[in-house]
Amino acid sequence: MIMEVEVRVISTEIIKPSLPTPDHLRSHRLSFLDQISPPIFMPLVEFYGGSHGDTTTSRCDGLKRSLSEALTRFYPLAGRVRENHIVDCNDEGIPFVQARVHCQLSEFLEDARPGQLNRFLPYKLDDVRDLPAAVQVNFFDCGGIAIGLCISHKIADALSFFTFLNSWAAIARGDTDIIQPRFGSATIFPPINISGFKPSVGIIKENIVTKRFVFNASNISALREKYADKTNIENPRRPTRIEALSAFIWGRFMAATQEEFKSKRLYSVLHAVNLRTRMDPPLPDYYFGNISRTAIAFPSLDSKEDGYGVVSLMRDEIKKINKEYVEKLKDGEGHLSFLKERAQQVTKGELLSFSFTSLCRFPLYEADFGWGKPLWVGSASLTYKNLVTFFDTRSGDGIEAWVNLTAEDMEKLEIDKELLAYTSSPLVVRVC
């Protein structure tokens, strides 16, 4: 039986930077990669145990003070996005919502469902408006806490998201060695006129179901062996964990939905790629903004390989995202034409896309606000179909796959016997 979670908003206020932003930093230009990014919130919810002697008020006050200090360093987050062109860094601040959850944290974590996590967030994910960020702090009856953070994809990618989150947490716990983010991606990827392209293409508000499938270490190892390149018998090349899981989920989706027997159309498999390490010279992780793109493979359904040869195809496409690729991307116009063409194919139903993004090896469980590291970290039900996000389990040796599909497709996938043979029940999180 699915537990219904009641979340009641107690208060909403605006948190502003602790110091005013200098005049010469008041206008933050969006880069070309920011411009083409979707106007959608990226969500994350982090769960922490009891108060350890702190009152709800003191914990909330500490979060507000540290957030205010963090916004001084990450000043564009406290501004407002104007016309997909700039962030007006006017120190207007970000919404800070306080809410009460009428259940025990342990009860919720026994069977946490992705769709329930949206209730711990301050806004619907497509209700971005001109906001760069927003926070909701949720207190459970037992004193446990869930911090829901939303940052607009219009100004940041996943790595920048974690840079901010972990800097905020470091300030809260009293660290003095805080990262100073670097801004200025618009000088690397100058903005252009993107008229005729809608960054919101693909956003769907209804009929999306999100399920999380957990793969333990032994099943991941078995899948890596399943998709190993055995052309060299003495030294077979095993795919990475993410390569193997991507090929497996894609293959099970195609089999479960009987997609391969439907009308002929193009199929694409996408993987998000961080560009910072692929530039010359490389950019540091704390360079803020959208500095990532997607590698795109076009698998053939005629392939007899497991997963339609997705592993080798995707590996080859990711290799192509190198310094030469980045140099071409700086021009913008060529990439924009490609995006427009692809958007038309998707809209007309000529192209079926399936996207993967991996947050594995990201500092997912590092945000210690002074109460220890999170017991569990989750996302939410997203506003895209055919999208999979990978997360490390808390132990670090397993992977959670959060799969977003239409309700019709999910009904077929979630009963696929081969998929279920490789997945395990979500671990019950212990609440101290």
Side-chain angles (χ1 to χ4, degrees):
M1 182 176 178
I2 299 175
M3 189 179 94
E4 286 298 321
V5 179
E6 181 186 351
V7 181
R8 181 171 57 88
V9 171
I10 299 170
S11 65
T12 301
E13 58 187 291
I14 298 294
I15 304 300
K16 298 187 177 186
S18 57
L19 295 172
T21 299
D23 288 343
H24 70 283
L25 298 177
R26 287 269 168 164
S27 181
H28 172 73
R29 282 199 308 158
L30 296 182
S31 72
F32 166 61
L33 300 186
D34 294 329
Q35 288 180 299
I36 61 176
S37 294
I40 203 84
F41 276 129
M42 297 180 292
L44 200 73
V45 185
E46 304 219 322
F47 295 86
Y48 299 86
S51 59
H52 304 291
D54 294 331
T55 65
T56 297
T57 300
S58 65
R59 294 178 92 179
C60 216
D61 288 345
L63 287 172
K64 293 175 190 175
R65 282 193 301 270
S66 53
L67 178 58
S68 179
E69 290 184 38
L71 290 176
T72 297
R73 294 172 180 268
F74 294 82
Y75 55 90
L77 292 180
R80 294 294 181 267
V81 180
R82 308 296 187 202
E83 300 296 329
N84 201 23
H85 179 59
I86 66 163
V87 179
D88 180 4
C89 303
N90 55 11
D91 297 339
E92 198 166 323
I94 73 172
F96 184 97
V97 178
Q98 187 175 342
R100 175 69 65 182
V101 186
H102 293 291
C103 73
Q104 304 292 313
L105 176 58
S106 57
E107 292 175 334
F108 176 77
L109 292 180
E110 281 180 6
D111 189 25
R113 307 293 178 103
Q116 294 174 326
L117 270 67
N118 293 66
R119 301 182 186 183
F120 300 134
L121 300 170
Y123 292 93
K124 292 182 179 179
L125 298 184
D126 62 338
D127 188 22
V128 178
R129 293 174 283 182
D130 58 355
L131 290 171
V135 173
Q136 182 167 312
V137 180
N138 307 273
F139 290 97
F140 289 80
D141 288 339
C142 59
I145 186 172
I147 298 177
L149 173 63
C150 292
I151 296 182
S152 172
H153 211 330
K154 186 54 63 180
I155 69 166
D157 58 14
L159 191 53
S160 292
F161 186 110
F162 284 104
T163 298
F164 171 73
L165 173 63
N166 291 323
S167 296
W168 173 22
I171 293 170
R173 67 175 180 264
D175 282 10
T176 55
D177 185 18
I178 309 297
I179 287 175
Q180 184 64 45
R182 287 184 60 184
F183 299 98
S185 59
T187 61
I188 303 171
F189 303 102
I192 65 173
N193 182 352
I194 66 165
S195 59
F197 174 71
K198 292 184 177 180
S200 59
V201 66
I203 294 176
I204 300 174
K205 296 183 180 182
E206 299 172 350
N207 200 37
I208 298 296
V209 174
T210 306
K211 299 273 185 179
R212 62 184 179 117
F213 299 91
V214 180
F215 298 83
N216 62 31
S218 60
N219 283 335
I220 294 171
S221 181
L223 286 171
R224 293 182 68 192
E225 185 63 30
K226 173 182 172 69
Y227 293 108
D229 181 356
K230 298 183 176 67
T231 51
N232 184 341
I233 298 176
E234 294 182 1
N235 188 27
R237 182 178 181 182
R238 294 209 307 168
T240 66
R241 301 185 309 160
I242 299 304
E243 287 172 344
L245 287 178
S246 299
F248 178 63
I249 292 173
W250 160 253
R252 297 326 305 158
F253 167 78
M254 295 294 286
T257 60
Q258 298 285 295
E259 181 62 46
E260 58 188 308
F261 301 114
K262 296 180 182 177
S263 59
K264 293 294 182 182
R265 56 177 168 178
L266 285 172
Y267 299 89
S268 63
V269 177
L270 293 76
H271 246 294
V273 179
N274 175 24
L275 297 181
R276 293 169 182 81
T277 57
R278 297 169 184 266
M279 299 177 69
D280 187 19
L283 295 178
D285 286 350
Y286 52 82
Y287 212 107
F288 198 91
N290 284 291
I291 311 177
S292 55
R293 283 318 297 145
T294 50
I296 305 177
F298 294 91
S300 168
L301 300 194
D302 295 328
S303 171
K304 301 304 179 184
E305 295 181 67
D306 277 329
Y308 308 99
V310 164
V311 169
S312 57
L313 284 171
M314 184 55 67
R315 186 181 289 153
D316 290 344
E317 292 304 316
I318 290 175
K319 282 181 182 176
K320 294 177 183 177
I321 299 185
N322 51 25
K323 60 183 180 181
E324 288 78 17
Y325 171 94
V326 173
E327 286 303 312
K328 291 180 182 178
L329 190 61
K330 290 178 181 179
D331 172 57
E333 295 291 350
H335 191 66
L336 181 64
S337 296
F338 167 75
L339 292 177
K340 287 179 178 179
E341 179 183 352
R342 189 169 152 271
Q344 287 181 344
Q345 290 176 316
V346 171
T347 302
K348 293 178 181 178
E350 299 170 353
L351 174 69
L352 186 146
S353 288
F354 206 99
S355 299
F356 295 92
T357 186
S358 174
L359 299 183
C360 295
R361 311 303 188 203
F362 276 58
L364 200 64
Y365 283 89
E366 295 302 312
D368 177 359
F369 288 87
W371 327 305
K373 294 180 180 180
L375 300 171
W376 184 61
V377 176
S379 180
S381 185
L382 305 180
T383 55
Y384 286 92
K385 68 175 183 178
N386 303 345
L387 171 63
V388 178
T389 305
F390 294 117
F391 298 87
D392 284 317
T393 56
R394 191 172 190 270
S395 63
D397 58 355
I399 292 177
E400 293 189 16
W402 290 53
V403 182
N404 297 265
L405 299 176
T406 63
E408 295 82 3
D409 286 345
M410 184 62 78
E411 285 179 4
K412 299 169 185 174
L413 182 69
E414 66 183 350
I415 60 172
D416 181 77
K417 291 182 179 179
E418 188 168 345
L419 173 68
L420 296 177
Y422 281 94
T423 58
S424 53
S425 299
L427 293 174
V428 176
V429 179
R430 290 184 175 275
V431 179
C432 300

